[in-house]
Amino acid sequence: MARYFLLVVVGIAVIVALIVSASGDETRAELEYLEEIQSQATEISKGGDALRGVVSRLQRIDRTEFVTVIEGIREDLAVGLAFVEEVPPTPMLSPVRSMYRQALRTWDAGIAGYGSSVLEAADNPESLLVVDTMADSLAEMRAGDTFYADLVVEMRRGDILNPLTPMPATMLMPAEGSLVSLSVSYIDSARSPNSGLALRPGLAVSQIVSDPEWQVNQSDQVVVPTTDSIVFSVVVTNVGNVPSKAETLVLSLTGGPEQIREQAEIAPLQPNQQLTIIFDPLGVEPGGVYEVAAVLAITGEDSNGNDNEIRAQFSVLEG
């Protein structure tokens, strides 16, 4: 009888231990889940601060910087949206997941709409619809802020574990005020003459160098050391704020018996991206005077036609 009683006691102890262990595992899983939400919300909060900084400079901000900030926020939101597609570790956290997912979806719609409305306003100054689309986007962002605030309240309930680090006060709405008045203000700022938001395509010939390297002598003349051939390298830069199209670079050398003409294809470049084209050696004669020209044969749009070529006159020193 005593032996039977001992087995029962041991069995109960094992069951209790398993229950406690399972409970501990669930607690850890819940804390990890909530900590992940807190970490994501912190990054999104930083994005909100960055957006407000951008909005304060909307009248003079560059398109590339604006797009970078908008894309950065959407990338952080995408991380959260992927996270909420997973089932939470316990049913108790289902309301948290649902509210967080609603906030993320609404924020993402608002940020996407805000970005496209600003660029549309800059690219199409006559469009009247952008005020409405901007107002709709701001409404989404404000709603997302409200959903998130409700989420923070939900997470403070007594039966839900609190993350070790408090939830941040995350807001993506750029400012308080009437949606219509804010929309008009942002659209007007995007269309400011000083703004760099409008589409600005443009390739430029940034530099041309020679090998052997040319120098300026005491008479302010460009000279090349004695040689019978020169290799020219040309640097092309996309100085616009949108990707360039494929274009052709033409290199010509005059001063010899006949003009030498070479060309190279320039692949599409991203904004601020550079490409160096190295041409084959071109024959020259010591004592000769030459002019080299690097010219972009632009076929697409170009915001500045004055930076499409560089010309330089030089002489080759006699041996």
mmCIF file of all heavy atoms in Angstrom, residues 33 36 40 74-87 97 100-101 104-105:
data_model
loop_
_atom_site.group_PDB
_atom_site.id
_atom_site.type_symbol
_atom_site.label_atom_id
_atom_site.label_comp_id
_atom_site.label_asym_id
_atom_site.label_seq_id
_atom_site.Cartn_x
_atom_site.Cartn_y
_atom_site.Cartn_z
ATOM 1 N N TYR A 33 7.562 36.946 -28.221
ATOM 2 C CA TYR A 33 6.633 37.491 -29.212
ATOM 3 C C TYR A 33 6.393 38.978 -28.969
ATOM 4 O O TYR A 33 6.456 39.796 -29.900
ATOM 5 C CB TYR A 33 5.316 36.723 -29.134
ATOM 6 C CG TYR A 33 4.339 37.016 -30.242
ATOM 7 C CD1 TYR A 33 4.402 36.331 -31.453
ATOM 8 C CD2 TYR A 33 3.330 37.958 -30.074
ATOM 9 C CE1 TYR A 33 3.495 36.576 -32.478
ATOM 10 C CE2 TYR A 33 2.417 38.218 -31.089
ATOM 11 C CZ TYR A 33 2.503 37.529 -32.284
ATOM 12 O OH TYR A 33 1.602 37.781 -33.296
ATOM 13 N N GLU A 36 9.447 41.098 -29.706
ATOM 14 C CA GLU A 36 9.630 41.321 -31.135
ATOM 15 C C GLU A 36 8.735 42.456 -31.626
ATOM 16 O O GLU A 36 9.167 43.310 -32.427
ATOM 17 C CB GLU A 36 9.321 40.037 -31.908
ATOM 18 C CG GLU A 36 9.411 40.172 -33.422
ATOM 19 C CD GLU A 36 10.793 40.563 -33.919
ATOM 20 O OE1 GLU A 36 11.785 40.337 -33.185
ATOM 21 O OE2 GLU A 36 10.892 41.101 -35.042
ATOM 22 N N GLN A 40 10.084 45.953 -33.284
ATOM 23 C CA GLN A 40 9.608 46.442 -34.577
ATOM 24 C C GLN A 40 8.976 47.825 -34.445
ATOM 25 O O GLN A 40 9.206 48.712 -35.278
ATOM 26 C CB GLN A 40 8.590 45.458 -35.160
ATOM 27 C CG GLN A 40 9.189 44.123 -35.559
ATOM 28 C CD GLN A 40 8.135 43.165 -36.073
ATOM 29 O OE1 GLN A 40 6.980 43.551 -36.306
ATOM 30 N NE2 GLN A 40 8.512 41.905 -36.275
ATOM 31 N N ARG A 74 8.555 51.741 -45.318
ATOM 32 C CA ARG A 74 7.771 50.611 -45.838
ATOM 33 C C ARG A 74 8.502 49.281 -45.640
ATOM 34 O O ARG A 74 7.861 48.240 -45.451
ATOM 35 C CB ARG A 74 7.443 50.834 -47.316
ATOM 36 C CG ARG A 74 6.531 52.039 -47.568
ATOM 37 C CD ARG A 74 5.805 51.918 -48.875
ATOM 38 N NE ARG A 74 4.843 50.820 -48.850
ATOM 39 C CZ ARG A 74 4.282 50.306 -49.955
ATOM 40 N NH1 ARG A 74 4.602 50.786 -51.141
ATOM 41 N NH2 ARG A 74 3.424 49.320 -49.869
ATOM 42 N N GLU A 75 9.822 49.320 -45.682
ATOM 43 C CA GLU A 75 10.587 48.096 -45.406
ATOM 44 C C GLU A 75 10.390 47.651 -43.958
ATOM 45 O O GLU A 75 10.242 46.450 -43.686
ATOM 46 C CB GLU A 75 12.068 48.339 -45.698
ATOM 47 C CG GLU A 75 12.387 48.425 -47.192
ATOM 48 C CD GLU A 75 13.823 48.830 -47.442
ATOM 49 O OE1 GLU A 75 14.579 48.994 -46.451
ATOM 50 O OE2 GLU A 75 14.191 48.992 -48.625
ATOM 51 N N ASP A 76 10.404 48.607 -43.027
ATOM 52 C CA ASP A 76 10.160 48.255 -41.623
ATOM 53 C C ASP A 76 8.746 47.715 -41.435
ATOM 54 O O ASP A 76 8.533 46.758 -40.675
ATOM 55 C CB ASP A 76 10.369 49.486 -40.737
ATOM 56 C CG ASP A 76 11.829 49.897 -40.645
ATOM 57 O OD1 ASP A 76 12.700 49.042 -40.855
ATOM 58 O OD2 ASP A 76 12.096 51.085 -40.376
ATOM 59 N N LEU A 77 7.790 48.327 -42.120
ATOM 60 C CA LEU A 77 6.411 47.845 -42.021
ATOM 61 C C LEU A 77 6.281 46.448 -42.626
ATOM 62 O O LEU A 77 5.520 45.619 -42.122
ATOM 63 C CB LEU A 77 5.471 48.819 -42.733
ATOM 64 C CG LEU A 77 5.318 50.202 -42.085
ATOM 65 C CD1 LEU A 77 4.519 51.132 -42.994
ATOM 66 C CD2 LEU A 77 4.651 50.103 -40.720
ATOM 67 N N ALA A 78 7.028 46.193 -43.699
ATOM 68 C CA ALA A 78 6.973 44.878 -44.336
ATOM 69 C C ALA A 78 7.472 43.780 -43.395
ATOM 70 O O ALA A 78 6.949 42.658 -43.395
ATOM 71 C CB ALA A 78 7.793 44.880 -45.626
ATOM 72 N N VAL A 79 8.475 44.111 -42.582
ATOM 73 C CA VAL A 79 8.967 43.143 -41.596
ATOM 74 C C VAL A 79 7.847 42.784 -40.625
ATOM 75 O O VAL A 79 7.622 41.615 -40.304
ATOM 76 C CB VAL A 79 10.178 43.715 -40.834
ATOM 77 C CG1 VAL A 79 10.563 42.814 -39.662
ATOM 78 C CG2 VAL A 79 11.362 43.883 -41.772
ATOM 79 N N GLY A 80 7.131 43.812 -40.161
ATOM 80 C CA GLY A 80 6.017 43.562 -39.244
ATOM 81 C C GLY A 80 4.891 42.785 -39.899
ATOM 82 O O GLY A 80 4.313 41.877 -39.291
ATOM 83 N N LEU A 81 4.568 43.129 -41.141
ATOM 84 C CA LEU A 81 3.473 42.447 -41.840
ATOM 85 C C LEU A 81 3.780 40.969 -42.053
ATOM 86 O O LEU A 81 2.884 40.124 -41.981
ATOM 87 C CB LEU A 81 3.213 43.143 -43.178
ATOM 88 C CG LEU A 81 2.534 44.514 -43.081
ATOM 89 C CD1 LEU A 81 2.574 45.239 -44.415
ATOM 90 C CD2 LEU A 81 1.089 44.361 -42.606
ATOM 91 N N ALA A 82 5.042 40.657 -42.310
ATOM 92 C CA ALA A 82 5.428 39.253 -42.433
ATOM 93 C C ALA A 82 5.317 38.540 -41.082
ATOM 94 O O ALA A 82 4.896 37.387 -41.002
ATOM 95 C CB ALA A 82 6.853 39.147 -42.978
ATOM 96 N N PHE A 83 5.662 39.249 -40.022
ATOM 97 C CA PHE A 83 5.626 38.678 -38.672
ATOM 98 C C PHE A 83 4.193 38.331 -38.259
ATOM 99 O O PHE A 83 3.941 37.272 -37.675
ATOM 100 C CB PHE A 83 6.248 39.667 -37.688
ATOM 101 C CG PHE A 83 6.190 39.241 -36.253
ATOM 102 C CD1 PHE A 83 7.018 38.237 -35.764
ATOM 103 C CD2 PHE A 83 5.309 39.853 -35.364
ATOM 104 C CE1 PHE A 83 6.968 37.851 -34.434
ATOM 105 C CE2 PHE A 83 5.252 39.478 -34.031
ATOM 106 C CZ PHE A 83 6.085 38.468 -33.573
ATOM 107 N N VAL A 84 3.241 39.219 -38.534
ATOM 108 C CA VAL A 84 1.866 38.981 -38.084
ATOM 109 C C VAL A 84 1.148 37.933 -38.926
ATOM 110 O O VAL A 84 0.016 37.552 -38.601
ATOM 111 C CB VAL A 84 1.044 40.289 -38.065
ATOM 112 C CG1 VAL A 84 1.588 41.254 -37.033
ATOM 113 C CG2 VAL A 84 1.007 40.931 -39.455
ATOM 114 N N GLU A 85 1.774 37.467 -39.996
ATOM 115 C CA GLU A 85 1.183 36.366 -40.746
ATOM 116 C C GLU A 85 1.359 35.045 -40.002
ATOM 117 O O GLU A 85 0.669 34.065 -40.303
ATOM 118 C CB GLU A 85 1.821 36.273 -42.137
ATOM 119 C CG GLU A 85 1.424 37.407 -43.071
ATOM 120 C CD GLU A 85 -0.077 37.517 -43.244
ATOM 121 O OE1 GLU A 85 -0.710 36.474 -43.499
ATOM 122 O OE2 GLU A 85 -0.618 38.633 -43.118
ATOM 123 N N GLU A 86 2.278 35.026 -39.052
ATOM 124 C CA GLU A 86 2.506 33.823 -38.256
ATOM 125 C C GLU A 86 1.517 33.759 -37.086
ATOM 126 O O GLU A 86 1.103 34.797 -36.559
ATOM 127 C CB GLU A 86 3.939 33.810 -37.720
ATOM 128 C CG GLU A 86 5.003 33.887 -38.814
ATOM 129 C CD GLU A 86 6.390 34.051 -38.234
ATOM 130 O OE1 GLU A 86 6.527 34.028 -36.980
ATOM 131 O OE2 GLU A 86 7.345 34.214 -39.020
ATOM 132 N N VAL A 87 1.173 32.568 -36.686
ATOM 133 C CA VAL A 87 0.250 32.376 -35.570
ATOM 134 C C VAL A 87 0.990 32.673 -34.263
ATOM 135 O O VAL A 87 2.118 32.212 -34.067
ATOM 136 C CB VAL A 87 -0.294 30.936 -35.545
ATOM 137 C CG1 VAL A 87 -1.208 30.724 -34.345
ATOM 138 C CG2 VAL A 87 -1.022 30.632 -36.849
ATOM 139 N N ARG A 97 -2.065 40.342 -31.827
ATOM 140 C CA ARG A 97 -1.671 40.151 -33.217
ATOM 141 C C ARG A 97 -2.627 40.853 -34.168
ATOM 142 O O ARG A 97 -2.206 41.521 -35.123
ATOM 143 C CB ARG A 97 -1.620 38.663 -33.526
ATOM 144 C CG ARG A 97 -1.388 38.332 -34.995
ATOM 145 C CD ARG A 97 -2.000 37.001 -35.335
ATOM 146 N NE ARG A 97 -1.709 36.564 -36.676
ATOM 147 C CZ ARG A 97 -2.362 35.610 -37.289
ATOM 148 N NH1 ARG A 97 -3.370 34.985 -36.664
ATOM 149 N NH2 ARG A 97 -2.057 35.246 -38.510
ATOM 150 N N TYR A 100 -2.211 44.693 -33.984
ATOM 151 C CA TYR A 100 -0.930 45.096 -34.561
ATOM 152 C C TYR A 100 -0.975 44.993 -36.086
ATOM 153 O O TYR A 100 -0.496 45.871 -36.807
ATOM 154 C CB TYR A 100 0.177 44.215 -33.993
ATOM 155 C CG TYR A 100 1.580 44.595 -34.414
ATOM 156 C CD1 TYR A 100 1.995 45.924 -34.471
ATOM 157 C CD2 TYR A 100 2.505 43.608 -34.756
ATOM 158 C CE1 TYR A 100 3.279 46.268 -34.850
ATOM 159 C CE2 TYR A 100 3.799 43.948 -35.139
ATOM 160 C CZ TYR A 100 4.171 45.270 -35.181
ATOM 161 O OH TYR A 100 5.455 45.601 -35.561
ATOM 162 N N ARG A 101 -1.589 43.921 -36.581
ATOM 163 C CA ARG A 101 -1.715 43.731 -38.022
ATOM 164 C C ARG A 101 -2.560 44.849 -38.642
ATOM 165 O O ARG A 101 -2.216 45.375 -39.712
ATOM 166 C CB ARG A 101 -2.342 42.375 -38.318
ATOM 167 C CG ARG A 101 -2.552 42.107 -39.814
ATOM 168 C CD ARG A 101 -2.948 40.657 -40.061
ATOM 169 N NE ARG A 101 -4.088 40.279 -39.253
ATOM 170 C CZ ARG A 101 -4.506 39.011 -39.103
ATOM 171 N NH1 ARG A 101 -3.852 38.030 -39.701
ATOM 172 N NH2 ARG A 101 -5.545 38.740 -38.367
ATOM 173 N N LEU A 104 -0.426 47.988 -38.821
ATOM 174 C CA LEU A 104 0.595 47.888 -39.862
ATOM 175 C C LEU A 104 -0.002 48.061 -41.250
ATOM 176 O O LEU A 104 0.552 48.791 -42.096
ATOM 177 C CB LEU A 104 1.300 46.529 -39.769
ATOM 178 C CG LEU A 104 2.194 46.300 -38.551
ATOM 179 C CD1 LEU A 104 2.582 44.831 -38.461
ATOM 180 C CD2 LEU A 104 3.430 47.176 -38.606
ATOM 181 N N ARG A 105 -1.113 47.399 -41.508
ATOM 182 C CA ARG A 105 -1.735 47.497 -42.828
ATOM 183 C C ARG A 105 -2.193 48.921 -43.129
ATOM 184 O O ARG A 105 -2.028 49.423 -44.247
ATOM 185 C CB ARG A 105 -2.917 46.531 -42.913
ATOM 186 C CG ARG A 105 -2.517 45.056 -43.000
ATOM 187 C CD ARG A 105 -3.746 44.162 -42.999
ATOM 188 N NE ARG A 105 -3.387 42.756 -43.247
ATOM 189 C CZ ARG A 105 -4.251 41.757 -43.217
ATOM 190 N NH1 ARG A 105 -5.537 41.993 -42.967
ATOM 191 N NH2 ARG A 105 -3.845 40.522 -43.448
#
